[in-house]
Amino acid sequence: MGIRCLNDTRRTLRRAPRRVEFFQGTLAHITESEIDGVRIFDTTLRDGEQSPRTSFSYEEKRDIAATLDEMGTHVIEAGFPVNSDAEFEAVSDIAAATDTDVCGLARVVDKDVEAALDAGVELVHVFVSTSDVQLADSMHASKEEAVERAVACVERVKEAGVDVMFSPMDATRTDVEFLGEILSAVDDAGVDWVNIPDTCGVATPTRFASLIREVREHTDAHIDVHAHDDFGLATANAMAGFEAGAAQAQVSVNGIGERAGNAAYEEVVMSAESLYDVDTGIDTKRITELSRLVEEASDISTPANKPVVGRNAFSHESGIHAAGVIENTDTFEPGVMTPEMVGAQREFVLGKHTGAHSVRKRLEEAGFTPDDDEVRAVTRKVKDFGAEKERVTDDVLTRFAGEVGVDHEDDENEEVRA
């Protein structure tokens, strides 16, 4: 099977062409995107499941894969088929049930490759350690053996008529000359994709972009990047990879994965869509739904301040911020990304930092008709209550309104009927 056109998403969920509208004085001077296109390779079911203390059931894998497929994700790495009979069955079933290309992982070992091929995947992802430390103390092999095994496995997958991706594991800690040597070797063997992984999360955006440009000198294959988040730079490194010419990035939903995790699906997709004005073809309105699905299945809580999908991402408590957003959401939100774009809802949280604008809005939404003095009185109660680290729920707000004597629409209607 040949590689499909990289811009072919096989979906009709494409939005109308637009230009990102940045505000004067920020990025308004940019007239062209630095990135031509973005493909998303989701590894939630493989690297994401490698998060410590995480295990997806068969049904959870199928549900996550189905959602990724429906959203228009370009590739789903469904697992490591040789790992177990259950893993093989899950990968095989996902490959048969989805329109999206499904990938299976394999070491440069014959039984791994054969298991991936038998699972019926459209892409086999073979990898071998290339850094000196991993070759010596993990793989226990020489550089020559690594090259030989990599070439043999690439040739075997191509012989089977299936697309193949090759990863030099720990590429960012690999001698550049050897990296060029092994990439040239698999290129000669007909590799379709080359993945450049920052396995231990030590890359920085500028250095990673330089590495991707170096890699382009040694291969004609499409380039894919895989960034880890040990220093919180995974998404930035993925986007730097795109800027340097990579066609695809490996991501996981909520950024879950080994150690500190991977570049996050939601962050990379929305950065591409909203900051680079690239139409990924992905249905972004289901991003929050997808995030909650993975959060529940993985049992890894999503931090409140998590970009895009955290519960605070579109929430406001500070009086100045909330007042501005009530007037115009662009005042204290990015403007180029709204909660509606990712299937979330904006929330005005009441607490210690709340201002009168938020209190008035919440009271009116609850059916109260406060005057200015009553708003100020309720606001004081809200601030004092929040300062004690208490949560101001709708019931609490209603209680405060009653204590202050704020009229409610229902009370007024009762008087009219009487």
Side-chain angles (χ1 to χ4, degrees):
M1 182 187 73
I3 295 179
R4 294 183 177 90
C5 172
L6 294 185
N7 293 322
D8 175 19
T9 64
R10 291 160 290 124
R11 294 293 186 277
T12 59
L13 301 170
R14 304 178 70 84
R15 57 169 166 73
R18 61 163 172 77
R19 280 301 312 158
V20 171
E21 296 295 337
F22 285 109
F23 294 97
Q24 188 63 36
T26 54
L27 301 174
H29 62 284
I30 295 176
T31 57
E32 294 184 3
S33 175
E34 303 94 323
I35 299 173
D36 293 329
V38 165
R39 284 173 53 93
I40 297 298
F41 177 116
D42 183 84
T43 187
T44 304
L45 300 179
R46 199 276 299 171
D47 200 340
E49 193 182 25
Q50 289 177 202
S51 300
R53 296 172 290 277
T54 295
S55 178
F56 296 131
S57 69
Y58 172 85
E59 290 76 15
E60 288 168 340
K61 278 204 165 193
R62 290 292 300 269
D63 287 346
I64 293 169
T67 305
L68 289 166
D69 181 34
E70 292 164 6
M71 289 175 65
T73 308
H74 304 97
V75 182
I76 299 172
E77 189 168 45
F80 194 5
V82 79
N83 190 49
S84 67
D85 290 343
E87 183 83 344
F88 178 89
E89 181 181 4
V91 174
S92 180
D93 288 352
I94 290 170
T98 57
D99 293 325
T100 298
D101 284 348
V102 171
C103 175
L105 185 69
R107 296 166 297 182
V108 285
V109 176
D110 290 343
K111 66 176 182 178
D112 287 32
V113 173
E114 295 305 323
L117 291 172
D118 290 344
V121 297
E122 288 87 4
L123 177 68
V124 176
H125 178 190
V126 298
F127 71 96
V128 65
S129 295
T130 53
S131 66
D132 289 343
V133 63
Q134 288 195 3
L135 279 171
D137 297 328
S138 177
M139 189 176 171
H140 305 293
S142 67
K143 291 180 177 179
E144 291 75 16
E145 288 173 320
V147 173
E148 181 181 338
R149 293 184 197 178
V151 169
C153 287
V154 168
E155 289 178 340
R156 171 66 187 108
V157 178
K158 294 303 296 180
E159 178 185 279
V162 177
D163 284 355
V164 59
M165 172 183 285
F166 171 71
S167 288
M169 189 160 68
D170 209 13
T172 50
R173 300 194 301 175
T174 295
D175 175 74
V176 175
E177 289 188 8
F178 178 58
L179 185 62
E181 177 187 340
I182 198 167
L183 291 178
S184 294
V186 296
D187 193 65
D188 291 341
V191 73
D192 299 292
W193 285 90
V194 167
N195 166 247
I196 303 301
D198 181 26
T199 304
C200 293
V202 297
T204 63
T206 299
R207 295 169 189 168
F208 195 58
S210 294
L211 178 60
I212 299 305
R213 284 190 285 270
E214 175 73 20
V215 165
R216 292 174 63 188
E217 299 297 317
H218 298 281
T219 183
D220 291 324
H222 302 302
I223 298 174
D224 171 275
V225 294
H226 180 113
H228 275 272
D229 209 31
D230 295 74
F231 290 89
L233 295 173
T235 295
N237 285 330
M239 303 315 294
F242 282 124
E243 288 190 9
Q248 182 170 273
Q250 298 191 7
V251 299
S252 66
V253 179
N254 298 337
I256 65 173
E258 291 278 2
R259 304 183 312 280
N262 297 272
Y265 182 107
E266 60 279 0
E267 294 174 20
V268 172
V269 170
M270 293 313 298
S271 291
E273 291 271 348
S274 293
L275 298 179
Y276 291 88
D277 195 25
V278 174
D279 185 353
T280 63
I282 288 173
D283 183 3
T284 65
K285 291 182 180 179
R286 297 189 65 182
I287 280 178
T288 299
E289 171 195 345
L290 174 65
S291 171
R292 302 296 182 261
L293 176 64
V294 171
E295 180 180 25
E296 181 177 355
S298 66
D299 201 28
I300 299 175
S301 298
T302 302
N305 65 333
K306 175 75 173 63
V308 185
V309 294
R311 69 177 184 272
N312 287 353
F314 300 100
S315 294
H316 307 275
E317 180 180 330
S318 168
I320 294 173
H321 284 234
V325 171
I326 289 171
E327 184 72 24
N328 179 353
T329 58
D330 288 347
T331 53
F332 288 102
E333 288 183 2
V336 291
M337 179 175 69
T338 66
E340 293 79 15
M341 289 171 68
V342 298
Q345 290 184 327
R346 184 177 293 105
E347 182 181 6
F348 294 96
V349 179
L350 300 183
K352 176 182 177 181
H353 308 289
T354 296
H357 285 81
S358 290
V359 171
R360 181 185 294 277
K361 179 178 177 61
R362 288 285 292 275
L363 285 170
E364 290 176 348
E365 288 175 346
F368 291 97
T369 56
D371 61 28
D372 291 345
D373 288 340
E374 290 169 340
V375 169
R376 282 191 289 270
V378 174
T379 300
R380 175 46 54 198
K381 286 180 174 290
V382 166
K383 285 179 173 289
D384 292 344
F385 196 72
E388 297 298 323
K389 297 188 177 182
E390 297 288 347
R391 185 163 175 260
V392 183
T393 63
D394 288 339
D395 288 341
V396 170
L397 183 65
T398 297
R399 189 180 85 219
F400 289 162
E403 292 171 357
V404 170
V406 183
D407 290 334
H408 194 279
E409 291 175 355
D410 290 343
D411 298 332
E412 295 175 359
N413 292 335
E414 285 294 330
E415 291 178 7
V416 170
R417 284 194 289 270

